[in-house]
Amino acid sequence: MANSNGSKAAARDKRQRLTAAAAEVLHRQGVERTTIADIAQLADVPVGNVYYYFKTKDDLVRAALSAHADHLSLKLAHLDRDPDPRARLGALVASWVERRDITARYGCPTGTLAVELDKREPDGIDTEVGQLFRTLVDWVAEQFRRLGQPDPHDLAITFVAANQGMSLLSNALRDPTIMIREGERLRRWLDDLPT
Amino acid sequence: MANSNGSKAAARDKRQRLTAAAAEVLHRQGVERTTIADIAQLADVPVGNVYYYFKTKDDLVRAALSAHADHLSLKLAHLDRDPDPRARLGALVASWVERRDITARYGCPTGTLAVELDKREPDGIDTEVGQLFRTLVDWVAEQFRRLGQPDPHDLAITFVAANQGMSLLSNALRDPTIMIREGERLRRWLDDLPT
Amino acid sequence: MANSNGSKAAARDKRQRLTAAAAEVLHRQGVERTTIADIAQLADVPVGNVYYYFKTKDDLVRAALSAHADHLSLKLAHLDRDPDPRARLGALVASWVERRDITARYGCPTGTLAVELDKREPDGIDTEVGQLFRTLVDWVAEQFRRLGQPDPHDLAITFVAANQGMSLLSNALRDPTIMIREGERLRRWLDDLPT
Amino acid sequence: MANSNGSKAAARDKRQRLTAAAAEVLHRQGVERTTIADIAQLADVPVGNVYYYFKTKDDLVRAALSAHADHLSLKLAHLDRDPDPRARLGALVASWVERRDITARYGCPTGTLAVELDKREPDGIDTEVGQLFRTLVDWVAEQFRRLGQPDPHDLAITFVAANQGMSLLSNALRDPTIMIREGERLRRWLDDLPT
DNA sequence: TATGAATGAGCATTCATTCAT
DNA sequence: CATGAATGAATGCTCATTCAT
């Protein structure tokens, strides 16, 4: 029993550890500068063993991306607890600002991944990063819709783009305060939305 | 005379060709996925000869970045011909929107370069991409200042971040129309600025 | 069990083979003229695999040097079996003369390595070749001390230098007989030492 | 006239400068670590121009060796002014000791060159370094002959080998004082020679 | 002859992926 | 499943030598 169940648990655990390690290292070092060995080491898994969980490096990258997607789903589900759409969006902004130091240092995990993956998959039209962004945009759009805004989807694009823009700039300029000021602007914008 | 000058001109030309090729290929394929051979081939220069003009691959990357910086300077100088700051900013937005198809396919050259270089130079605080962004932000801030806006620098950050955000999203979603709609929003925003 | 131990043994064996191959080829071709491929080929190891055992070419060079150092230690230990210091030194000389053909063809392994490494590590003060020579000089000095000689260390320097000198000359002149005659001179010198 | 004579002089001068530069840099950096560009730069000659004076790198190396040979000839001619063979040999030793700092840092120019060239010309039986050593050995032998010594040639080998040995050791141990002590020993040896 | 530029072969090193046990 | 080891293709870079002018 310790065997069948235990090893399955161990396997799930290893896969999990590898995914988490990948998400972290890929964020910090970038996809191309990260070796399988880097990830294996951080996950404390022997290199040769990685391939029993992920066929290729791309698979690992995808897993890391999925991890970010899962993280996003969790966050959105958490935000959904608040019934007020405006508050939800405000909390989303707050979560962005909260991560300002990491963002200023390494950029937005999703955004930088999107940039790198775009170079990797020259013909990928319907990419998984795209899906992630779509999920987020859709959720944001839904909030704007509930707020009775016209063109909620466009507003959502603007909103999500604002995060990507301030993240990229704060990273390029190594200035976390950009996130603070831009975050305040977004919140003001939310508050000023005509009802 | 045609000789001595000719060869120098040829050399300058080759350097120029290599720089242009680098800028183009690095934009399309990304820094890490681009080999010196790729650049050499596009520039029609034998691989070994590249190193006569650029000591290292990093040098080539820097040259490509400089090319972008030069391009930006030219553009700003061109915009400066119009005395109206609001019109200047509007024209800048227009130039962004104009490039929407390339942006949707490969992202903003400067933005994607910023992301990649951040992973390459783990400790680079005062990077050259940073300088490029600073130049742009400063110019934009100056226009807002002339328009009598409070906090022109913050507005400039918002403005530049907007471009990066919409570029990234339109790239990730492979949707050039995002650039159109966001561009229009920016122009409306400019027009609505209180005087 | 044959397994786990077997692969470790195989690994040790491969490392050993690479070290031996390195020692041999580096002696014959010199450090700079020897490629990793040369060593790999002689050791019958795929080139890419070499780097699993040695991170860099320098590492391989160091390993070869260590092999020489080990060889020296063994030889000295063997000589130590004879209780008579004079006989020990005589046997050492004999071992030098024995290798005269190889020496005339390729020089003294340690001496030529010392020359080459001196050019490689421009600032290496306390080099490993230096250590090797120190070990030898110290051992020789100890013998002279036991023989009751004054300035045993100086005598040891003279003794060791004599080997390097005759090795270099016999190599440059491609004349192994130099080793014979100089060897005899050294032995006579030992015999004539005042007690 | 400034032309024909001047350019010939300039050519001779350039060749001379290249030879001197080669001798110096090859001694310091070693043959393999020295590039044509290194030599050209030190000689203040454009790289492409080097090949009008020396067809190949080997030619340059040979020229440097010839320079050392010329230097030796000059030195021996100078020593020949003293009619006393013993004094001549003593003065030769003194000249070796004088160069102790350079020797401790870079080795004996001829000796290190001999080692490196041996690796370069795998089949060179009658090498030019050999010739140089033969010249020296013959001259020294002649002095011993005049001193009425038996086996003057063997003594000469011993004498020259002593220099190579102490040079190599003082270089490997980075200790110029070895040259001093060994030099004194050689002089004592000369003085003690039976007449 | 003079010279900047061109050429191309060669080398150390990396790394994703596979294999043997 | 686990794991250390194997494999080989790819890449940045160097440099002696040659060429065009």
Side-chain angles (χ1 to χ4, degrees), chain D residues 112-123:
Chain D
T112 57
L113 215 40
V115 168
E116 286 200 272
L117 293 185
D118 181 55
K119 312 300 185 193
R120 280 208 129 205
E121 326 174 328
D123 306 320

Side-chain angles (χ1 to χ4, degrees), chain D residues 160-187:
Chain D
V160 172
N163 179 39
Q164 289 305 319
M166 71 187 184
S167 295
L168 196 151
L169 268 195
S170 98
N171 180 217
L173 300 175
R174 288 280 196 285
D175 179 1
T177 70
I178 288 179
M179 302 283 293
I180 295 179
R181 289 194 299 276
E182 282 291 296
E184 272 165 12
R185 182 184 65 83
L186 283 175
R187 199 170 312 201

Side-chain angles (χ1 to χ4, degrees), chain C residues 3 34-36 48 51 55-57:
Chain C
N3 258 355
T34 299
T35 70
I36 298 280
Y51 287 86
K55 294 261 177 252
T56 66
K57 183 179 178 180

